[in-house]
Amino acid sequence: YVMVYTLPDSSQTPFGRGLPYTGLTPPQTPPAGYVCDNTNTGAPCYLLSNLVQVFNQRLLNDLQGQPVKVLDGYSLLNQEVTNPAQFGFTNVTTPWCNPTTTSSLLCNVNTPYADAGASAANLGTWLFADTVHPTPAGYKIIASTTLQAMKGFGWISQ
């Protein structure tokens, strides 16, 4: 059995949402609270979102007629960001890990981004561990969705 995941929309991650307008002269630091608008054709996150969509469409086209099943990671992340409470999330915009942590591999229960309100107590309700990777709670949603899809495909029993 082969399952292929489409890429999630990277413009919805803290990394994508924080992309500044680099084309401004002179380059400017985004104001506090700035969020890149992936519907604005002049925004860098718009380009990022479209690159992901083009990649996913090419992937789906190339898989036509192949004996594989597809899990729509793009839609799953968009649903999590649009309806966080449905997935048990209270924060889907800020990384849980302290940004001074030098690698997401070093992020752990002892490295919360306390200035943003992260704590060991709320790790299970934040979607992003760092600027692009999910927390364990985020990965749990991916695993649960995968399990449901496998059951739906008849690959495993209900």
Side-chain angles (χ1 to χ4, degrees):
Y1 302 111
V2 177
M3 183 183 304
V4 176
Y5 294 80
T6 59
L7 290 178
D9 186 354
S10 302
S11 75
Q12 295 290 340
T13 66
F15 168 80
R17 294 170 56 88
L19 287 172
Y21 285 90
T22 54
L24 298 176
T25 306
Q28 300 172 14
T29 302
Y34 166 81
V35 174
C36 190
D37 178 5
N38 70 0
T39 64
N40 177 342
T41 59
C45 56
Y46 176 85
L47 176 61
L48 178 59
S49 182
N50 276 286
L51 286 172
V52 171
Q53 291 177 62
V54 167
F55 175 88
N56 284 340
Q57 189 57 58
R58 177 67 188 262
L59 175 67
L60 294 173
N61 290 345
D62 289 348
L63 292 174
Q64 287 281 330
Q66 299 300 315
V68 301
K69 300 293 186 184
V70 176
L71 195 140
D72 189 357
Y74 186 92
S75 292
L76 178 59
L77 178 60
N78 286 341
Q79 290 170 14
E80 290 170 315
V81 170
T82 303
N83 300 303
Q86 174 185 343
F87 298 91
F89 295 123
T90 60
N91 187 314
V92 295
T93 59
T94 307
W96 184 89
C97 297
N98 191 313
T100 62
T101 305
T102 57
S103 166
S104 61
L105 296 174
L106 301 175
C107 175
N108 60 61
V109 72
N110 298 315
T111 60
Y113 188 12
D115 290 347
S119 69
N122 65 16
L123 174 59
T125 63
W126 287 41
L127 176 56
F128 292 102
D130 61 15
T131 59
V132 294
H133 297 101
T135 59
Y139 279 117
K140 185 176 179 181
I141 299 298
I142 295 169
S144 175
T145 303
T146 301
L147 178 61
Q148 292 304 71
M150 292 172 70
K151 287 178 180 179
F153 299 148
W155 291 355
I156 57 177
S157 62
Q158 305 286 341

